[in-house]
Amino acid sequence: MSQTQTPASAWCAKMQRKLMDALDAAWALVERTDDPALIAKAREKSRLCGQMAAAVRKVATLIPPPKDKPGLLPTVEVAAPTAKAPAAQAVAMRAALDRMGRR
């Protein structure tokens, strides 16, 4: 049985849903009231959601990307490697060795 999501990625997705729901609730509270105390409470809640979202993003960067199965890789036509021109330093070194009679 293979899982498409790791427990960490499932946790990140669940936290994202919770944070978005909390932001929606804070937004709805601000829209329906003019009370400065309630607006301050909603602002604090949204600030906390932002801080938590930053922590969740840090956790999400620790999750390794999913590995592709070898049989599912796309086929790529491989061209023959072209001969790479020697570096200028190598050309100069060969010329110096030729002048010295060495090879």
Side-chain angles (χ1 to χ4, degrees):
M1 180 165 118
S2 69
Q3 290 180 325
T4 57
Q5 284 191 334
T6 63
S9 63
W11 176 81
C12 288
K14 184 178 176 182
M15 283 301 297
Q16 182 181 8
R17 279 191 303 275
K18 284 183 177 183
L19 291 170
M20 290 303 296
D21 290 342
L23 282 174
D24 288 341
W27 184 263
L29 183 65
V30 168
E31 284 183 332
R32 70 175 179 254
T33 188
D34 289 334
D35 183 15
L38 288 177
I39 292 173
K41 184 178 178 180
R43 184 180 297 138
E44 185 60 32
K45 190 173 198 176
S46 64
R47 186 176 299 122
L48 179 62
C49 286
Q51 291 171 350
M52 290 179 70
V56 171
R57 279 193 302 272
K58 288 177 184 176
V59 170
T61 60
L62 299 174
I63 300 170
K67 295 181 181 178
D68 292 330
K69 293 183 180 179
L72 301 178
L73 292 176
T75 57
V76 177
E77 292 183 26
V78 178
T82 58
K84 189 176 177 183
Q89 186 178 9
V91 171
M93 185 62 72
R94 285 185 186 143
L97 287 174
D98 288 339
R99 283 193 301 267
M100 292 172 48
R102 296 185 182 171
R103 188 72 179 152

